[in-house]
Amino acid sequence: MLNIGRVLVIDDDPIVLSALEVQLSKLGLKEITLVEAATDALEQILSANSPPFDIVICDLQMPVMDGIEFVRRLADMHYPGALILLSGENARTLQAASLLASKHKLNILGTLTKPVALNSLRETLGTFEREIVDLRGLREQIMSKEDLTQAIEQGQLILYYQPKISLADGSLKGLEAVVRWQHPRHGLINPDQFIGVAENYGLIDKLTFAVLDQAFRQMAQWRRVGKEIKVSVNVSMDNLSSLDFPEMVLSKLSEHNIDPKLLVLEITESRLMLNPDKVLDIVTRLKLKRIGLALDDFGTGHSSLAQLRDLPFDELKLDRSFVHDSTADAVRAAILHGSIQMADQLGMVWVAEGVEDLEDWIYLRQFDDGLLQGYFIGRPMRPEDLDLWQKEWQERYRALAKQRE
Ligand code: C2E
Ligand code: CA
Ligand code: CA
């Protein structure tokens, strides 16, 4: 049973409304309000004498006020709850509408095609539980623009490093820097919970440069003890909107006296690429400056073949959703094989992310080259723990290799 408070459903078709009501009740929801017109819905939401709705489920095709206009109105009134879009149109229309809603900074849980399957409804609502129950309180309490700005400026963001190793000989090939927010009252907060917030508040440039700065300091420190380690840093698509980004990165690199070849930028299309020509310009200049480029989360909706076609990536990061557990799943295995083959043909290095257990490891051993990253090899760690990890890993690798013989 789902633990969700008030839900508002809007559809001009009363049959759809009552079908949804039955389904929502089946899932354990008790406070369900049904309306046939978006204008009535706005009135309901605005009315002061009812408690706020946690979720609004809205059809796209409606007479008078359609779903898109309704979404815009919701954004205008800063509706804080979650939104699910519903349509009989094809999936791409829904996707476009959903993109629009997230550009309006609405909390969009997902989209559903009609007729709605109970399972998809359960799944989409499930996201609400996970996201909101965990995060709503936190977000509201602490993730104001001021707090995040302060966190960046006062050095509350710290980096953890996760190793990438070579499949061929187990050696360390690089580290991915992942950011954490060391919050004075709430403890360690994961990036999934604040990167999007930083993007929405226009703080992502500040954040990225704080991260780069820290990574470069660390690399300089490693160099002083004779370690030349490649470091990958995640950048957001929003970072690739100012044309001087490559120059800024380069000047930071030279400030710390770091060879650009030791830096890899990981790029994912977490939001719409607003200006592809600009991105192409920036990315190509990064490449000319010998900075490495990785296409992150490849295989998910955010990372596409079109990006692979148009942008000069050297590294393909295969998303963990088809790395972990691919032994047991023919579809995952096929995507994995296909992507690896493609990377090989394009002369790109591939990195399998999310190598989580021994089974994943054994499965991936069938490939000859490529890099692996995941909990099985090492979790993201503080830089001071790297030496110890490396010693332990070498031993473990030797044992794994022996076992194979
Ligand atoms: P990502 O780039 O895909 O980073 C890898 C994430 O997968 C990390 O989560 C890592 O802890 C997790 N992971 C690694 N191995 C395994 C495994 O075997 N199993 C599972 N289940 N997970 C594994 P993390 O650190 O929470 O980062 C989440 C996302 O936040 C990153 O995904 C990245 O997109 C974003 N992010 C992290 N740091 C930064 C940053 O400095 N700037 C930006 N813009 N985004 C960042
Ligand atoms: Ca990454
Ligand atoms: Ca990734």
Side-chain angles (χ1 to χ4, degrees), residues 36-71:
E36 289 182 20
T39 42
D40 295 342
L42 289 175
E43 232 164 74
Q44 288 267 358
I45 294 170
L46 281 171
S47 93
N49 46 19
S50 64
F53 293 101
D54 293 302
I55 301 184
V56 170
I57 302 177
C58 173
D59 182 29
L60 284 182
Q61 289 83 15
M62 291 182 293
V64 192
M65 186 187 287
D66 64 37
I68 300 293
E69 186 180 350
F70 175 71
V71 162

Short mmCIF file of all heavy atoms in Angstrom, two decimals, residues 36-71:
data_model
loop_
_atom_site.label_atom_id
_atom_site.label_comp_id
_atom_site.label_asym_id
_atom_site.label_seq_id
_atom_site.Cartn_x
_atom_site.Cartn_y
_atom_site.Cartn_z
N GLU A 36 -13.43 17.36 -13.98
CA GLU A 36 -13.46 17.17 -15.43
C GLU A 36 -12.84 18.33 -16.21
O GLU A 36 -12.63 18.23 -17.40
CB GLU A 36 -14.90 16.95 -15.90
CG GLU A 36 -15.42 15.57 -15.48
CD GLU A 36 -16.84 15.30 -15.96
OE1 GLU A 36 -17.27 15.97 -16.92
OE2 GLU A 36 -17.50 14.43 -15.37
N ALA A 37 -12.58 19.44 -15.52
CA ALA A 37 -12.01 20.58 -16.26
C ALA A 37 -10.82 21.17 -15.51
O ALA A 37 -10.82 21.27 -14.28
CB ALA A 37 -13.07 21.67 -16.44
N ALA A 38 -9.81 21.57 -16.28
CA ALA A 38 -8.59 22.11 -15.69
C ALA A 38 -8.88 23.39 -14.89
O ALA A 38 -8.23 23.65 -13.87
CB ALA A 38 -7.57 22.38 -16.78
N THR A 39 -9.87 24.16 -15.36
CA THR A 39 -10.19 25.40 -14.64
C THR A 39 -10.69 25.08 -13.22
O THR A 39 -10.30 25.74 -12.26
CB THR A 39 -11.27 26.20 -15.40
OG1 THR A 39 -12.24 25.27 -15.87
CG2 THR A 39 -10.67 26.93 -16.59
N ASP A 40 -11.51 24.02 -13.13
CA ASP A 40 -11.98 23.61 -11.80
C ASP A 40 -10.81 23.14 -10.94
O ASP A 40 -10.77 23.37 -9.72
CB ASP A 40 -13.00 22.46 -11.90
CG ASP A 40 -14.26 22.90 -12.62
OD1 ASP A 40 -14.49 24.14 -12.70
OD2 ASP A 40 -15.00 22.03 -13.10
N ALA A 41 -9.88 22.47 -11.60
CA ALA A 41 -8.72 21.96 -10.86
C ALA A 41 -7.94 23.11 -10.25
O ALA A 41 -7.56 23.07 -9.08
CB ALA A 41 -7.83 21.15 -11.80
N LEU A 42 -7.73 24.16 -11.04
CA LEU A 42 -6.98 25.32 -10.53
C LEU A 42 -7.69 25.92 -9.33
O LEU A 42 -7.06 26.28 -8.33
CB LEU A 42 -6.81 26.37 -11.63
CG LEU A 42 -5.83 25.98 -12.74
CD1 LEU A 42 -5.82 27.04 -13.84
CD2 LEU A 42 -4.42 25.79 -12.19
N GLU A 43 -9.01 25.98 -9.43
CA GLU A 43 -9.79 26.52 -8.32
C GLU A 43 -9.58 25.68 -7.07
O GLU A 43 -9.36 26.20 -5.98
CB GLU A 43 -11.27 26.50 -8.70
CG GLU A 43 -11.96 27.83 -8.51
CD GLU A 43 -13.27 27.84 -9.25
OE1 GLU A 43 -14.22 27.18 -8.77
OE2 GLU A 43 -13.33 28.47 -10.33
N GLN A 44 -9.65 24.37 -7.25
CA GLN A 44 -9.44 23.45 -6.12
C GLN A 44 -8.06 23.65 -5.49
O GLN A 44 -7.92 23.67 -4.28
CB GLN A 44 -9.51 22.00 -6.63
CG GLN A 44 -10.88 21.53 -6.99
CD GLN A 44 -11.55 20.83 -5.81
OE1 GLN A 44 -10.94 20.68 -4.75
NE2 GLN A 44 -12.80 20.43 -6.00
N ILE A 45 -7.07 23.79 -6.35
CA ILE A 45 -5.70 23.91 -5.84
C ILE A 45 -5.53 25.23 -5.09
O ILE A 45 -4.86 25.29 -4.06
CB ILE A 45 -4.68 23.79 -6.99
CG1 ILE A 45 -4.73 22.37 -7.57
CG2 ILE A 45 -3.27 24.11 -6.53
CD1 ILE A 45 -3.96 22.19 -8.86
N LEU A 46 -6.16 26.26 -5.63
CA LEU A 46 -6.01 27.58 -5.03
C LEU A 46 -6.83 27.76 -3.76
O LEU A 46 -6.51 28.60 -2.93
CB LEU A 46 -6.40 28.67 -6.05
CG LEU A 46 -5.34 28.97 -7.10
CD1 LEU A 46 -5.90 29.89 -8.17
CD2 LEU A 46 -4.09 29.60 -6.46
N SER A 47 -7.90 26.97 -3.65
CA SER A 47 -8.82 27.25 -2.55
C SER A 47 -8.14 27.02 -1.20
O SER A 47 -7.53 25.98 -0.95
CB SER A 47 -10.09 26.39 -2.68
OG SER A 47 -9.93 25.21 -1.96
N ALA A 48 -8.27 28.02 -0.37
CA ALA A 48 -7.51 28.03 0.88
C ALA A 48 -8.07 27.06 1.90
O ALA A 48 -7.37 26.62 2.80
CB ALA A 48 -7.51 29.45 1.45
N ASN A 49 -9.35 26.68 1.75
CA ASN A 49 -9.91 25.84 2.81
C ASN A 49 -9.74 24.33 2.58
O ASN A 49 -10.36 23.53 3.22
CB ASN A 49 -11.39 26.19 3.07
CG ASN A 49 -12.15 26.31 1.77
OD1 ASN A 49 -11.70 25.81 0.75
ND2 ASN A 49 -13.29 26.98 1.83
N SER A 50 -8.88 23.96 1.62
CA SER A 50 -8.56 22.54 1.53
C SER A 50 -7.06 22.35 1.66
O SER A 50 -6.29 23.19 1.22
CB SER A 50 -9.03 21.98 0.18
OG SER A 50 -8.34 22.59 -0.87
N PRO A 51 -6.63 21.25 2.30
CA PRO A 51 -5.18 21.00 2.41
C PRO A 51 -4.60 20.78 1.01
O PRO A 51 -5.32 20.40 0.09
CB PRO A 51 -5.10 19.74 3.25
CG PRO A 51 -6.44 19.09 3.18
CD PRO A 51 -7.42 20.18 2.92
N PRO A 52 -3.31 21.03 0.82
CA PRO A 52 -2.72 20.94 -0.52
C PRO A 52 -2.71 19.51 -1.07
O PRO A 52 -2.70 18.55 -0.30
CB PRO A 52 -1.28 21.43 -0.29
CG PRO A 52 -1.02 21.23 1.16
CD PRO A 52 -2.33 21.38 1.85
N PHE A 53 -2.72 19.41 -2.38
CA PHE A 53 -2.62 18.10 -3.02
C PHE A 53 -1.16 17.68 -3.11
O PHE A 53 -0.29 18.49 -3.43
CB PHE A 53 -3.21 18.15 -4.43
CG PHE A 53 -4.69 18.38 -4.44
CD1 PHE A 53 -5.22 19.64 -4.70
CD2 PHE A 53 -5.57 17.33 -4.16
CE1 PHE A 53 -6.59 19.85 -4.70
CE2 PHE A 53 -6.94 17.54 -4.16
CZ PHE A 53 -7.45 18.80 -4.43
N ASP A 54 -0.90 16.39 -2.85
CA ASP A 54 0.46 15.89 -2.99
C ASP A 54 0.78 15.60 -4.45
O ASP A 54 1.88 15.82 -4.92
CB ASP A 54 0.63 14.60 -2.18
CG ASP A 54 0.53 14.86 -0.70
OD1 ASP A 54 1.33 15.68 -0.22
OD2 ASP A 54 -0.36 14.30 -0.04
N ILE A 55 -0.24 15.07 -5.14
CA ILE A 55 -0.02 14.71 -6.54
C ILE A 55 -1.20 15.18 -7.39
O ILE A 55 -2.35 15.03 -6.99
CB ILE A 55 0.10 13.17 -6.70
CG1 ILE A 55 1.26 12.63 -5.86
CG2 ILE A 55 0.32 12.80 -8.17
CD1 ILE A 55 1.52 11.16 -6.03
N VAL A 56 -0.89 15.74 -8.54
CA VAL A 56 -1.92 16.05 -9.52
C VAL A 56 -1.69 15.16 -10.73
O VAL A 56 -0.58 15.08 -11.25
CB VAL A 56 -1.86 17.54 -9.94
CG1 VAL A 56 -2.75 17.79 -11.13
CG2 VAL A 56 -2.25 18.44 -8.78
N ILE A 57 -2.74 14.45 -11.13
CA ILE A 57 -2.65 13.62 -12.34
C ILE A 57 -3.49 14.30 -13.41
O ILE A 57 -4.67 14.56 -13.19
CB ILE A 57 -3.18 12.20 -12.08
CG1 ILE A 57 -2.40 11.54 -10.93
CG2 ILE A 57 -3.09 11.35 -13.35
CD1 ILE A 57 -2.90 10.16 -10.56
N CYS A 58 -2.89 14.65 -14.54
CA CYS A 58 -3.59 15.49 -15.48
C CYS A 58 -3.52 14.96 -16.91
O CYS A 58 -2.47 14.58 -17.41
CB CYS A 58 -2.97 16.89 -15.40
SG CYS A 58 -3.58 17.99 -16.65
N ASP A 59 -4.68 14.95 -17.57
CA ASP A 59 -4.76 14.56 -18.98
C ASP A 59 -4.24 15.70 -19.84
O ASP A 59 -4.33 16.87 -19.46
CB ASP A 59 -6.23 14.27 -19.30
CG ASP A 59 -6.41 13.82 -20.73
OD1 ASP A 59 -5.48 13.22 -21.29
OD2 ASP A 59 -7.50 14.07 -21.29
N LEU A 60 -3.68 15.38 -20.99
CA LEU A 60 -3.17 16.45 -21.86
C LEU A 60 -4.25 17.02 -22.78
O LEU A 60 -4.35 18.23 -22.96
CB LEU A 60 -2.01 15.94 -22.72
CG LEU A 60 -0.65 15.78 -22.04
CD1 LEU A 60 0.39 15.32 -23.05
CD2 LEU A 60 -0.20 17.10 -21.41
N GLN A 61 -5.04 16.14 -23.39
CA GLN A 61 -6.09 16.64 -24.30
C GLN A 61 -7.35 16.95 -23.54
O GLN A 61 -8.03 16.04 -23.09
CB GLN A 61 -6.46 15.60 -25.37
CG GLN A 61 -5.44 15.37 -26.42
CD GLN A 61 -4.41 14.38 -25.94
OE1 GLN A 61 -4.61 13.68 -24.96
NE2 GLN A 61 -3.29 14.34 -26.62
N MET A 62 -7.64 18.24 -23.40
CA MET A 62 -8.90 18.60 -22.76
C MET A 62 -9.43 19.83 -23.48
O MET A 62 -8.65 20.68 -23.91
CB MET A 62 -8.68 18.90 -21.27
CG MET A 62 -8.32 17.67 -20.46
SD MET A 62 -8.13 18.04 -18.71
CE MET A 62 -6.68 19.06 -18.72
N PRO A 63 -10.75 19.93 -23.59
CA PRO A 63 -11.31 21.14 -24.21
C PRO A 63 -11.12 22.32 -23.25
O PRO A 63 -10.78 22.13 -22.08
CB PRO A 63 -12.79 20.79 -24.37
CG PRO A 63 -13.06 19.73 -23.35
CD PRO A 63 -11.79 18.98 -23.16
N VAL A 64 -11.33 23.50 -23.73
CA VAL A 64 -11.17 24.76 -22.98
C VAL A 64 -9.71 24.98 -22.57
O VAL A 64 -8.96 25.64 -23.26
CB VAL A 64 -12.09 24.87 -21.74
CG1 VAL A 64 -12.07 26.31 -21.21
CG2 VAL A 64 -13.52 24.45 -22.09
N MET A 65 -9.30 24.39 -21.46
CA MET A 65 -7.89 24.55 -21.08
C MET A 65 -7.20 23.19 -21.22
O MET A 65 -7.54 22.24 -20.54
CB MET A 65 -7.78 25.04 -19.64
CG MET A 65 -6.33 25.37 -19.25
SD MET A 65 -6.15 25.75 -17.50
CE MET A 65 -6.90 27.35 -17.38
N ASP A 66 -6.22 23.09 -22.12
CA ASP A 66 -5.57 21.79 -22.29
C ASP A 66 -4.47 21.59 -21.24
O ASP A 66 -4.17 22.48 -20.44
CB ASP A 66 -5.01 21.63 -23.71
CG ASP A 66 -3.92 22.64 -24.02
OD1 ASP A 66 -3.12 22.96 -23.12
OD2 ASP A 66 -3.85 23.10 -25.18
N GLY A 67 -3.89 20.41 -21.25
CA GLY A 67 -2.92 20.04 -20.23
C GLY A 67 -1.69 20.93 -20.22
O GLY A 67 -1.13 21.24 -19.16
N ILE A 68 -1.28 21.35 -21.39
CA ILE A 68 -0.06 22.17 -21.48
C ILE A 68 -0.28 23.54 -20.83
O ILE A 68 0.56 24.01 -20.06
CB ILE A 68 0.36 22.36 -22.97
CG1 ILE A 68 0.64 21.01 -23.62
CG2 ILE A 68 1.56 23.29 -23.08
CD1 ILE A 68 1.84 20.28 -23.08
N GLU A 69 -1.44 24.12 -21.12
CA GLU A 69 -1.73 25.41 -20.50
C GLU A 69 -1.88 25.24 -18.99
O GLU A 69 -1.37 26.05 -18.19
CB GLU A 69 -3.01 26.01 -21.08
CG GLU A 69 -3.25 27.41 -20.55
CD GLU A 69 -4.51 28.05 -21.12
OE1 GLU A 69 -5.10 27.48 -22.06
OE2 GLU A 69 -4.90 29.11 -20.60
N PHE A 70 -2.51 24.14 -18.59
CA PHE A 70 -2.68 23.86 -17.17
C PHE A 70 -1.32 23.76 -16.47
O PHE A 70 -1.11 24.33 -15.39
CB PHE A 70 -3.48 22.56 -17.00
CG PHE A 70 -3.62 22.12 -15.57
CD1 PHE A 70 -4.43 22.81 -14.68
CD2 PHE A 70 -2.92 21.00 -15.11
CE1 PHE A 70 -4.55 22.40 -13.36
CE2 PHE A 70 -3.02 20.58 -13.80
CZ PHE A 70 -3.84 21.28 -12.92
N VAL A 71 -0.39 23.07 -17.13
CA VAL A 71 0.95 22.92 -16.57
C VAL A 71 1.60 24.30 -16.39
O VAL A 71 2.24 24.59 -15.37
CB VAL A 71 1.81 22.02 -17.49
CG1 VAL A 71 3.29 22.19 -17.20
CG2 VAL A 71 1.40 20.57 -17.33
#
